[in-house]
Amino acid sequence: MRVNRIIFYDEPSVPEINLDNLVEFTSKTFGITPEKRKSILTYGNEATAKHIASSRIFKLSVPYIKHVPTAEEIEFEKKSAADTSTNQNITYYDGFELQNILRDIIPKEESREDVFHVIFTNKLTCTYDYNDYRYHGRALIGANPAIISTTGIIEAPAKPRDYYVDLITNSRLGVNVDALKEKYREMFLEYHDARLPTIIEGYLLQALFYYETAEPFCDDAKCRLFNAHWQKDLLYSQMESKKLCKKHQEILQKLTMT
Ligand SMILES: [Zn+2]
């Protein structure tokens, strides 16, 4: 493997990330025991908040333009660096810009090809897609550092269409949304969902495979590297199937042999 050291940066507002579980999972799967660190934002400097605020997206239909942040937006980022749970509303960030900004705060001596950094964040990372000319939320921004967005995991893969139809119909009738969520429980994840620790293992696999092989995803819905566009597919590949396909299992064996 090109990686011989892995560093995890926590997102403390999402305990379901469960770094201890991920350390064990990585150690078992790849034979490398990752180091655990605090949120990457705690390593930032005076300028970091401003840089992060400048990577915000306001119009989903327009490709990235560097935003000139207001004092209030910079203040928001400073607060959120000190306590990420203040990040309650969904704010959109350009995933690649955010990745560059966060890469810059990784200590230089650890900014190396053989040290793989995985940053967990509750910020919603997005990338612009020229196929439909709009930004889309992403759970994973690949390469090194890799960013895994917990908000992206909940928001990026779509919920079933019927849920939205039901939601509109029922909200007109004044029906409780919680009852509706219960009905669709098996079909999508919620914030602080008990299934998140296992789902996150899958995104970690995708991040590492992408860095090692430049191919992050698999077409087989039974494989944990499947790029799920729907919540129900995500739940299927990570919870029900919960394994790599034969091809990727073999690649993993080759990777971990050397
Ligand atoms: Zn596969």
Side-chain angles (χ1 to χ4, degrees):
M1 277 173 65
R2 99 197 245 213
V3 171
N4 61 37
R5 198 175 151 204
I6 299 172
I7 300 174
F8 289 158
Y9 298 87
D10 200 11
E11 169 48 72
S13 72
V14 185
E16 293 77 17
I17 293 169
N18 193 346
L19 282 191
D20 288 331
N21 171 60
L22 286 182
V23 165
E24 200 189 324
F25 174 77
T26 311
S27 173
K28 264 191 206 151
T29 314
F30 294 96
I32 298 173
T33 304
E35 296 162 42
K36 295 184 293 179
R37 294 217 178 137
K38 290 184 292 186
S39 160
I40 183 105
L41 299 173
T42 62
Y43 299 87
N45 55 32
E46 212 24 54
T48 308
K50 187 179 175 193
H51 291 153
I52 293 178
S54 72
S55 71
R56 281 178 67 163
I57 302 299
F58 291 88
K59 268 192 189 164
L60 295 181
S61 59
V62 180
Y64 181 66
I65 310 166
K66 192 172 181 163
H67 171 62
V68 180
T70 62
E72 200 180 314
E73 286 161 359
I74 297 171
E75 200 44 43
F76 169 79
E77 296 302 341
K78 280 187 184 161
K79 276 202 190 118
S80 132
D83 177 5
T84 55
S85 65
T86 57
N87 195 8
Q88 290 294 339
N89 296 325
I90 295 181
T91 313
Y92 301 87
Y93 296 85
D94 184 284
F96 296 123
E97 283 297 315
L98 187 66
Q99 188 176 41
N100 288 335
I101 296 159
L102 298 179
R103 183 180 288 124
D104 279 348
I105 51 179
I106 289 171
K108 286 288 159 278
E109 62 277 15
E110 291 175 344
S111 238
R112 306 158 42 127
E113 200 179 298
D114 58 351
V115 183
F116 186 57
H117 301 265
V118 184
I119 296 170
F120 293 96
T121 180
N122 61 1
K123 293 184 182 301
L124 181 55
T125 44
C126 304
T127 59
Y128 192 80
D129 188 343
Y130 283 90
N131 290 312
D132 61 358
Y133 301 100
R134 54 171 288 133
Y135 268 99
H136 294 275
R138 302 283 176 214
L140 169 67
I141 303 291
N144 192 12
I147 302 179
I148 296 179
S149 163
T150 52
T151 307
I153 294 172
I154 313 289
E155 301 293 340
K159 296 179 177 67
R161 286 198 182 94
D162 288 350
Y163 169 70
Y164 295 108
V165 175
D166 256 6
L167 190 64
I168 293 164
T169 321
N170 283 298
S171 59
R172 272 194 214 122
L173 299 170
V175 170
N176 188 337
V177 174
D178 286 342
L180 201 56
K181 281 186 174 166
E182 191 51 40
K183 177 177 165 191
Y184 286 94
R185 205 191 94 81
E186 295 309 316
M187 299 177 85
F188 63 81
L189 290 164
E190 287 195 72
Y191 287 92
H192 301 294
D193 199 293
R195 295 167 290 188
L196 275 171
T198 310
I199 301 279
I200 291 170
E201 291 171 5
Y203 282 107
L204 180 68
L205 282 173
Q206 293 177 9
L208 261 157
F209 266 80
Y210 180 54
Y211 190 58
E212 290 288 340
T213 68
E215 282 175 30
F217 301 123
C218 181
D219 296 331
D220 183 348
K222 292 195 287 298
C223 179
R224 293 192 94 176
L225 303 185
F226 183 68
N227 184 14
H229 294 290
W230 294 90
Q231 288 278 334
K232 66 172 174 42
D233 295 343
L234 179 66
L235 288 167
Y236 178 72
S237 53
Q238 305 301 346
M239 301 300 300
E240 267 183 67
S241 178
K242 210 184 167 185
K243 58 180 189 291
L244 292 171
C245 68
K246 192 165 172 283
K247 179 184 139 191
H248 283 109
Q249 193 57 49
E250 281 168 13
I251 293 174
L252 176 66
Q253 261 157 19
K254 273 187 203 146
L255 278 175
T256 50
M257 252 172 10
T258 48

